[in-house]
Amino acid sequence: MEKDNGDTDSTGVAYDDTVYPLTITVADGDGQGKLDVQVTLQGDEETVVFTNDYHAEGQGTIELNKSLVGRPTALRDKEFTFEIDELIVPEEGGDPQRVPVMADETNRLTAANGADGRIVFSLNYTEADQGQHTYVITEVDSQDPNTIYDPKEITVTVTVTDNGDGSMTVTTGYPEGEGSTTFVNEYTATGRVRFTGWKYVLGGRADQVQEDEFTFTVKELIPGADGTTEEVEVATGWTLEGGQIQFTPIKYDQDDRNDPDNPEDVHTYRIYEDQGDDTSMTYVSEPVTVTVKVTDAMDPETGEPVEGQLDVLVTYYPENTHDAAGVTFENQYLAQGEITLEGTKELLGNRGKELEDGEFTFEVRELDENNEPGETAVAAGTSKADGTIAFDPIEYKVEAGRSDIGTHRYVISETAGEDETVDYTDRTFIVTVEVTDLGGGELDAQVVETESETAAFENQYLAEGGLALNFSKELTGDGLRDGQFTFRLADQDGNVLQTVTSRADGTIPFEALTYDQDDIGQEFVYTISEVNTGINGITYDDTVYT
């Protein structure tokens, strides 16, 4: 025995196809015209039961949207993934729990966006799923460093109704409000710039630029809505040993991009030197301008943007004059020092009076590279009574346009006076001075003894005098004649200095004795005597006068 099945597809009923074999026995039991009919089930079955199953199926869709903001390239198919959970109230009651919707026994159901931004979840239901279902859809954060993922959770309701004929009606309910069904991701791109530069100290300072000796502040010019410009600090800088300037980096993201076709669209910065308190240094007061153009990085081979990367083009104004990259700051070192040269003055000649202060004058001139003295004196000096020479100090400086650090050679000369009793010397002396920087604005000047002469001036005192020897000759008994008698002048050692003859008038014409400065203080002894020339009749005078 079997059941006649109807149309299963249209009714939703799954018919029972069981066949029961029956044995029917018909007998005339009592001859009274009544048949005895017996039905016997073959096998172990005791009763005949036909069981039908009703089944209904339906499919629903949840359609959402995906948007990517800011990226130079378009949204790609299956670029982002989404998950779906169902909110189910536990049998024991309580708050709904999120339960992943599964695609199969081991994998949860996911959906990916299309290139057009559509996100479609397909959900299958049976008669057991009748009622309202609440789903929560979220985006999977795949850790793309160039994407800010939307943390939004979109809640959707799906109502499932059995139509009684094996079909089901599935209706999706979406949240209201603009953008409520759209996941919006933001494209991110990063770039950075670290300005470079050098610090130069002019003036030949001994110490090189030290680490952290100079500091800097970088400010960006931010245009205001009212047309004003605000300066906002964005970075700092400091010197490294040797003079290089290290700056902190400035970071950029996709919102900082400039219009690549507009040369005026740039980020503008001013770099200021922080004013220090070193009095030996002039600090730069005017800022240096730097512009940065931020654009999407481009692949040089394909010409397409490189996602997540920004290019920066840095321009420094004005262009530096040193053979170094980046900004340059020139500071003027200020220093000073002095030296007072020394010398002595000696007046030879046994002058009767001592030296007097200011009696002799001197000048110091610097020699050029050709050993020619300068047109003007750099210092003057006057003698003192003790024989020393008091020179004016020679000043050395380091300032704008001038640095006296190094080697200086001088010539010291005496200025001839008008005293006729002095033989002024024309001798000169060369003195070498080495000027070095001690730091802190102090210069040290020292005479290089091995390359210098001792300035010892010697002048000759000039003096002269004479002694007229007034002697006469008398002749008794006769008259005198020129040249008649001879006389000698000798020194104390007997050396004859002069021999003369008398004149007719009786005078003896000795030449006057002369003396100069070398004779001052000495004693001279002379003898004058008559020479017996043997004239007949003459008795000679043998007197010797001392």
Side-chain angles (χ1 to χ4, degrees):
M1 185 174 106
E2 60 182 349
K3 181 179 178 182
D4 182 17
N5 294 334
D7 186 355
T8 301
D9 292 336
S10 61
T11 62
V13 175
Y15 291 93
D16 192 338
D17 57 0
T18 305
V19 177
Y20 293 93
L22 301 177
T23 300
I24 300 176
T25 305
V26 180
D28 183 8
D30 55 2
Q32 299 296 317
K34 184 178 179 181
L35 296 176
D36 182 14
V37 179
Q38 298 291 325
V39 178
T40 304
L41 289 175
Q42 296 181 4
D44 298 330
E45 301 294 337
E46 296 181 356
T47 59
V48 176
V49 178
F50 288 95
T51 303
N52 289 6
D53 291 326
Y54 177 74
H55 181 68
E57 294 180 349
Q59 187 177 63
T61 58
I62 297 176
E63 295 190 11
L64 303 175
N65 295 296
K66 178 64 188 176
S67 174
L68 178 60
V69 177
R71 194 171 70 183
T73 55
L75 186 66
R76 295 186 289 271
D77 186 43
K78 297 181 181 180
E79 187 172 359
F80 300 98
T81 303
F82 304 85
E83 296 176 336
I84 182 169
D85 294 325
E86 184 173 2
L87 295 179
I88 297 177
V89 178
E91 292 182 0
E92 64 274 14
D95 295 332
Q97 301 296 310
R98 292 177 66 152
V99 178
V101 176
M102 305 299 290
D104 51 41
E105 292 183 355
T106 57
N107 300 303
R108 68 181 300 160
L109 182 65
T110 60
N113 66 281
D116 59 359
R118 293 177 64 243
I119 305 167
V120 178
F121 283 97
S122 295
L123 302 172
N124 296 317
Y125 299 97
T126 68
E127 69 281 358
D129 297 320
Q130 293 184 79
Q132 181 172 292
H133 299 262
T134 302
Y135 298 98
V136 178
I137 297 93
T138 56
E139 183 174 14
V140 176
D141 185 346
S142 61
Q143 303 300 311
D144 181 355
N146 304 319
T147 302
I148 300 176
Y149 291 86
D150 193 338
K152 180 189 302 180
E153 296 182 345
I154 299 178
T155 301
V156 177
T157 60
V158 175
T159 303
V160 180
T161 304
D162 186 358
N163 296 326
D165 57 1
S167 66
M168 309 190 80
T169 300
V170 181
T171 304
T172 303
Y174 295 97
E176 297 181 355
E178 184 178 356
S180 60
T181 60
T182 301
F183 288 95
V184 180
N185 285 11
E186 295 183 24
Y187 169 71
T188 63
T190 58
R192 55 185 278 169
V193 66
R194 187 190 292 270
F195 296 147
T196 60
W198 286 85
K199 160 63 71 177
Y200 296 93
V201 175
L202 307 180
R205 187 178 71 163
D207 294 332
Q208 66 176 351
V209 176
Q210 301 299 305
E211 184 169 356
D212 296 326
E213 184 178 1
F214 301 92
T215 58
F216 307 85
T217 300
V218 182
K219 296 183 178 182
E220 183 172 6
L221 277 62
I222 307 297
D226 57 354
T228 60
T229 300
E230 179 183 5
E231 291 188 352
V232 178
E233 181 177 332
V234 294
T236 58
W238 61 95
T239 52
L240 302 177
E241 185 174 351
Q244 185 176 5
I245 304 174
Q246 179 79 59
F247 289 96
T248 55
I250 301 174
K251 298 179 180 180
Y252 302 98
D253 61 25
Q254 65 283 351
D255 296 330
D256 297 316
R257 288 175 291 185
N258 300 114
D259 182 354
D261 298 324
N262 182 3
E264 302 298 322
D265 186 17
V266 293
H267 297 267
T268 301
Y269 302 90
R270 288 176 180 167
I271 303 178
Y272 292 89
E273 179 176 23
D274 300 330
Q275 302 299 294
D277 54 6
D278 185 351
T279 57
S280 69
M281 194 67 58
T282 57
Y283 293 90
V284 178
S285 59
E286 291 299 318
V288 175
T289 300
V290 182
T291 62
V292 177
K293 186 88 168 179
V294 182
T295 56
D296 289 305
M298 307 299 288
D299 188 318
E301 295 183 358
T302 65
E304 295 296 322
V306 179
E307 291 186 8
Q309 296 183 24
L310 298 175
D311 270 343
V312 293
L313 177 62
V314 182
T315 304
Y316 298 98
Y317 300 94
E319 294 183 1
N320 71 72
T321 57
H322 296 272
D323 187 19
V327 298
T328 57
F329 285 85
E330 292 182 347
N331 290 29
Q332 177 62 56
Y333 178 56
L334 302 175
Q336 59 184 11
E338 63 179 34
I339 190 172
T340 301
L341 300 181
E342 297 178 352
T344 59
K345 177 64 178 178
E346 183 179 4
L347 182 60
L348 307 177
N350 301 314
R351 190 176 69 168
K353 67 174 182 177
E354 300 294 334
L355 287 173
E356 298 176 353
D357 285 344
E359 189 173 356
F360 298 94
T361 59
F362 308 85
E363 66 177 18
V364 182
R365 294 177 185 264
E366 186 163 7
L367 298 175
D368 61 17
E369 61 275 9
N370 298 317
N371 285 328
E372 294 294 331
E375 294 183 359
T376 59
V378 297
T382 57
S383 61
K384 299 177 67 175
D386 62 1
T388 60
I389 301 173
F391 286 102
D392 298 329
I394 302 174
E395 295 184 348
Y396 302 98
K397 289 185 178 181
V398 175
E399 59 189 12
R402 173 182 175 182
S403 176
D404 293 330
I405 295 173
T407 302
H408 300 262
R409 298 180 70 246
Y410 301 98
V411 57
I412 306 175
S413 60
E414 181 177 27
T415 303
E418 297 179 355
D419 188 345
E420 295 181 354
T421 67
V422 175
D423 181 16
Y424 295 94
T425 181
D426 58 0
R427 183 178 178 183
T428 59
F429 298 90
I430 304 298
V431 177
T432 300
V433 174
E434 189 70 28
V435 180
T436 58
D437 176 45
L438 299 180
E442 183 179 356
L443 299 179
D444 178 60
Q446 298 290 334
V447 172
V448 182
E449 300 292 347
T450 57
E451 301 178 16
S452 301
E453 298 173 307
T454 301
F457 289 90
E458 293 181 348
N459 287 20
Q460 179 64 55
Y461 174 62
L462 301 177
E464 61 182 5
L467 175 63
L469 299 177
N470 297 316
F471 290 90
S472 62
K473 176 64 179 176
E474 292 181 359
L475 179 60
T476 303
D478 195 3
L480 290 172
R481 297 186 299 276
D482 286 339
Q484 187 176 5
F485 297 96
T486 302
F487 300 87
R488 290 175 179 170
L489 174 66
D491 62 19
Q492 60 186 5
D493 296 324
N495 299 311
V496 177
L497 303 179
Q498 294 182 38
T499 300
V500 297
T501 59
S502 60
R503 293 174 180 170
D505 61 0
T507 59
I508 302 172
F510 283 109
E511 294 180 6
L513 297 175
T514 60
Y515 303 93
D516 61 20
Q517 62 276 358
D518 294 332
D519 300 323
I520 295 174
Q522 298 187 47
E523 184 178 85
F524 298 89
V525 177
Y526 302 97
T527 60
I528 300 173
S529 60
E530 184 175 20
V531 179
N532 186 345
T533 60
I535 300 175
N536 293 325
I538 299 297
T539 300
Y540 290 90
D541 190 339
D542 58 1
T543 303
V544 177
Y545 292 94
T546 300

